Amino acid sequence: MGASLAFPASIMVLIVMLVPILMLFRYSFNHFDNGMMVEGFTLDSYLKFFGDPYYRDVFLNTVYVAAVCTILSLILGFPVAYFLAKSQSRYKSLFIILLVFPLMVGNVVRAAGWMIILGNAGFVNYFLQLFGFTDQPVQMMYTPFAVIVGTTGVVLPYFILTLQSVLEGIDFSVEEAAQSLGANFFVSFYRVVLPIAAPGVAAGTVLVFILCMNAYATPVLLGGTGITMMAPALYDQITKAANWPFGASLALVLVVATLAMATLSNWFIHRRYVKTMVS
Amino acid sequence: MAKVSIERLKKTFGSAVAVSDFSLDIADGELVAFLGPSGCGKTTTLRMIAGFIEPTAGTIRIGDDDVTHMPVHKRNTGMVFQRYALFPHMTVSQNVMFGLEMHKVEAAERDKRMRAALDMVRMSQFHDRYPRQLSGGQQQRVAIARALAIQPRVFLLDEPLSNLDAKLRLEVREEIRDLQRNLGLTTIFVTHDQEEALAIADRMAIMYDGKVQQIGSPEALYERPTNLFVADFLGKMNFFEGSIMEAGKFRTKNQRDIAIVGADRDTKKVGVRPERVTLSAEPQGPNALAGVIDTAIYLGSIIDVRIRLDSGESVSAQISNRGGEHIQHLSDGARMHACFDPADCVLFSE
């Protein structure tokens, strides 16, 4: 009975996810001749990817941005999730709604907002010049900085909500127990709360990392030509260059790399913290 | 171990008063139980002593040190929590070790004290288990060992037995009492279970509505409650409203005279415990109130009888079950006299 209930959803997943990926996988081995895809089997596309320093940089940019955004989410998001999980305030649900609120505004709209803030004639530069920190506007748009700020803003609510839901299940009397045994706040946090929160941290960081690796709108709008990431690059290959085999190979590299890194970090966190708690 | 003295302690949350005017001196090696219904302020008081809650006013001293504003980790109290609060990612021995590390006990000594603490609660053979592999009673034993290994100045227990089933509760209760006696631990034990408090405490503080209602030995509180709340909360009591007519004579508002010991003019109520009431067909002694049995409920070791008096009040009597004829005539509708000794009457001025 239980298994059959999952059947319709499983069929959907199969059709909308697995089939396209398999087709891309097949495409990635096709030839690309005179602007046309020709059926066949060649490793040309993969050789191009691994051989061209430009695409190597695109890939490294993507990993770099995703890693920095994930770390920033962890640093900025953990205190918020921790505060929310422990809060007994009657405004708690209001805080949660505030967190969900950005998710209701599209990435493009928010990227437009960042353009106003970070542009050369924007909000930040206005004040920098007003207070005499600089004569010339500081170039922030179309830099990795802008992409990192924008992407972190997009993924942070996901991280906080994921972590908060896991922290919510922790009995915080362990923290009090640690303190009554002589641990100060930081020691009790590091030795007790953090290891117990590890599954939530793992879930949140993996989710955020995957979202960042695959980000499209924010890197295009805030990175422009200044920094190119994988998703925009493969989109360009498919729509502008009509090079389906190469676009498909980029997509598969992205999928495999993302899964590999997510699995690796998950495995590491589990080995370090979680193994002992789950039987 | 050390004595604890609490002076005019107060805690308010916004406009709500959680604890007010709480003063108590606990002697070195004494076990005091805080007893009261939920929301009475007993846990708040304990948490102020442990340092988890900052008092609004008043002082807390442990030994000769004023700890009122000292952070939790410097107070050296051993706390046991309702839900054990063991560290789930550490083994039993690592749990006990944690406090010893925090107190910077030398490695060799640390190991010795960890073993001694686990021996004390008979948990040594489980030293490499994780908390989830232990039963509730075992987990609470480890929590006790963990709290005591640091040789705390005060032993604090917050409803430590309420998550255990009935049989274990009794067992762990005995263990706590034995440890407390043998080690001479100054102990504060918070509970809402009066039997627990009566069984374990040297003295108990009954709390209600943020205030201490009465402090004293279990016997003193049960035998000589000073207010109606204590009388009614601890066990049951029959009350008669009325006033003192003359020394030794109380007249209920239904014009029934009750012989009492004492002559306090302010007396507005007289109480008598159900188990001090005897039933007999013929009047016996100075207080024999005639009536009819309303209900007689068989509870095994006792029979709980409710009598409607001719004067209108109703009185509960607990008759211990000695079998045979003694209980056979306790049937609904039977005419009886509820008899009690004037010395068993407690006088209240409220």
Side-chain angles (χ1 to χ4, degrees):
Chain A
M1 178 63 197
S4 66
L5 282 177
F7 199 66
S10 307
I11 293 288
M12 276 304 286
V13 168
L14 206 66
I15 294 170
V16 304
M17 282 191 60
L18 206 56
V19 172
I21 287 175
L22 287 175
M23 284 177 71
L24 275 182
F25 185 63
R26 175 67 195 91
Y27 279 11
S28 69
F29 295 108
N30 280 343
H31 294 281
F32 184 68
D33 289 325
N34 302 320
M36 294 281 286
M37 180 165 74
V38 182
E39 291 270 324
F41 187 86
T42 171
L43 291 173
D44 280 357
S45 298
Y46 290 101
L47 291 173
K48 180 177 175 187
F49 173 78
F50 287 107
D52 189 335
Y54 174 76
Y55 286 105
R56 192 198 59 209
D57 284 351
V58 168
F59 180 75
L60 291 180
N61 278 342
T62 308
V63 174
Y64 166 72
V65 168
V68 173
C69 289
T70 306
I71 292 166
L72 277 177
S73 298
L74 191 62
I75 295 169
L76 298 174
F78 201 112
V80 180
Y82 175 78
F83 161 76
L84 275 177
K86 283 189 76 173
S87 168
Q88 317 230 317
S89 161
R90 62 188 140 145
Y91 299 116
K92 180 172 175 167
S93 45
L94 182 72
F95 290 137
I96 303 220
I97 291 169
L98 284 176
L99 266 179
V100 177
F101 190 70
L103 303 181
M104 297 179 207
V105 181
N107 289 355
V108 177
V109 176
R110 276 189 284 165
W114 282 115
M115 288 169 148
I116 295 167
I117 293 171
L118 300 176
N120 282 359
F123 184 75
V124 174
N125 270 316
Y126 174 78
F127 279 102
L128 284 178
Q129 283 166 322
L130 185 71
F131 293 115
F133 289 112
T134 172
D135 301 329
Q136 295 294 311
V138 179
Q139 178 68 38
M140 284 178 286
M141 279 303 292
Y142 314 120
T143 63
F145 171 77
V147 177
I148 288 168
V149 168
T151 310
T152 305
V154 171
V155 296
L156 195 53
Y158 291 101
F159 179 79
I160 295 172
L161 291 170
T162 311
L163 184 58
Q164 180 253 344
S165 71
V166 176
L167 291 182
E168 204 75 56
I170 295 179
D171 176 4
F172 278 99
S173 57
V174 292
E175 197 181 25
E176 295 183 341
Q179 288 172 21
S180 82
L181 290 167
N184 64 32
F185 176 81
F186 298 103
V187 174
S188 88
F189 182 81
Y190 179 71
R191 293 275 310 265
V192 175
V193 177
L194 196 58
I196 298 174
V201 175
T205 48
V206 166
L207 174 71
V208 160
F209 185 75
I210 291 172
L211 287 173
C212 293
M213 285 290 285
N214 293 286
Y216 176 77
T218 313
V220 167
L221 293 169
L222 301 182
T225 50
I227 168 169
T228 309
M229 284 173 65
M230 284 295 274
L234 80 88
Y235 178 78
D236 281 353
Q237 283 305 312
I238 290 171
T239 56
K240 295 195 183 131
N243 190 341
W244 276 87
F246 188 53
S249 72
L250 288 179
L252 279 161
V253 167
L254 182 59
V255 168
V256 171
T258 307
L259 283 181
M261 282 183 264
T263 312
L264 206 69
S265 67
N266 209 0
W267 172 81
F268 173 77
I269 293 176
H270 272 258
R271 200 186 59 138
R272 176 84 173 75
Y273 292 117
V274 186
K275 195 177 65 184
T276 54
M277 281 184 289
V278 186
S279 48
Chain B
M1 280 290 148
K3 63 184 195 307
V4 175
S5 82
I6 300 160
E7 223 171 287
R8 303 191 62 85
L9 199 61
K10 180 176 180 176
K11 179 68 198 178
T12 55
F13 295 102
S15 60
V17 181
V19 175
S20 69
D21 204 19
F22 186 109
S23 297
L24 175 66
D25 284 308
I26 303 170
D28 192 350
E30 187 181 27
L31 193 161
V32 173
F34 292 176
L35 175 68
S38 57
C40 71
K42 57 189 192 296
T43 296
T44 306
T45 307
L46 186 82
R47 292 171 63 77
M48 284 194 276
I49 297 167
F52 299 127
I53 298 178
E54 179 96 18
T56 310
T59 52
I60 302 166
R61 282 194 186 77
I62 300 177
D64 293 320
D65 307 323
D66 184 342
V67 301
T68 315
H69 302 289
M70 188 184 274
V72 180
H73 67 276
K74 291 186 178 157
R75 291 198 187 193
N76 196 14
T77 59
M79 178 106 176
V80 172
F81 296 81
Q82 182 173 352
R83 284 176 297 171
Y84 326 130
L86 292 178
F87 308 132
H89 57 300
M90 298 185 196
T91 62
V92 164
S93 51
Q94 284 168 341
N95 263 277
V96 177
M97 216 55 135
F98 184 86
L100 298 170
E101 277 174 49
M102 294 302 125
H103 282 78
K104 307 206 163 50
V105 177
E106 268 180 68
E109 169 77 6
R110 216 188 279 168
D111 209 55
K112 222 167 68 190
R113 268 165 68 175
M114 183 266 289
R115 277 169 213 290
L118 286 177
D119 275 342
M120 210 162 60
V121 295
R122 297 178 286 115
M123 286 298 294
S124 299
Q125 70 270 39
F126 299 109
H127 68 96
D128 57 354
R129 298 275 185 93
Y130 284 94
R132 68 188 146 79
Q133 298 169 314
L134 303 176
S135 71
Q138 290 170 330
Q139 288 191 47
Q140 199 56 299
R141 285 205 186 92
V142 174
I144 291 167
R146 182 178 70 176
L148 293 182
I150 60 170
Q151 299 175 349
R153 301 211 288 168
V154 202
F155 188 31
L156 306 173
L157 302 114
D158 184 11
E159 306 243 8
L161 307 176
S162 57
N163 270 20
L164 305 177
D165 57 46
K167 197 168 176 294
L168 263 176
R169 199 175 300 168
L170 221 66
E171 210 177 293
V172 178
R173 183 176 94 192
E174 299 290 309
E175 280 191 39
I176 291 174
R177 184 54 169 158
D178 288 347
L179 279 174
Q180 189 268 335
R181 287 257 168 85
N182 296 338
L183 302 174
L185 306 170
T186 308
T187 304
I188 301 172
F189 187 104
V190 164
T191 179
H192 64 269
D193 182 330
Q194 48 172 295
E195 191 196 314
E196 218 165 272
L198 287 167
I200 207 170
D202 292 317
R203 278 192 303 157
M204 27 204 280
I206 296 195
M207 296 184 69
Y208 178 64
D209 204 18
K211 292 189 190 68
V212 172
Q213 302 294 317
Q214 193 175 350
I215 298 174
S217 69
E219 195 204 338
L221 262 55
Y222 190 79
E223 300 292 338
R224 294 179 295 283
T226 51
N227 67 31
L228 292 174
F229 177 81
V230 174
D232 205 36
F233 183 75
L234 211 56
K236 289 182 198 155
M237 197 169 252
N238 295 301
F239 295 107
F240 299 97
E241 269 182 71
S243 52
I244 292 274
M245 299 308 293
E246 56 192 72
K249 192 168 167 191
F250 179 86
R251 179 164 292 169
T252 71
K253 53 182 192 180
N254 295 337
Q255 308 304 318
R256 191 123 211 9
D257 284 350
I258 293 175
I260 53 169
V261 177
D264 188 348
R265 282 278 150 205
D266 294 335
T267 302
K268 293 197 183 74
K269 272 185 184 156
V270 161
V272 60
R273 298 272 181 207
E275 72 273 17
R276 301 287 168 85
V277 177
T278 57
L279 297 177
S280 71
E282 300 303 320
Q284 282 174 1
N287 290 321
L289 315 181
V292 171
I293 293 184
D294 214 9
T295 53
I297 301 167
Y298 180 85
L299 292 173
S301 66
I302 57 163
I303 321 286
D304 198 354
V305 184
R306 244 188 132 62
I307 304 130
R308 181 151 299 281
L309 299 181
D310 295 345
S311 54
E313 292 100 338
S314 108
V315 169
S316 290
Q318 279 183 2
I319 310 299
S320 61
N321 182 359
R322 283 189 237 108
E325 208 181 330
H326 179 70
I327 59 164
Q328 269 160 22
H329 59 273
L330 298 177
S331 53
D332 297 2
R335 273 205 76 76
M336 281 287 161
H337 289 87
C339 312
F340 49 89
D341 199 312
D344 286 331
C345 292
V346 187
L347 314 184
F348 299 98
S349 59
E350 50 181 326

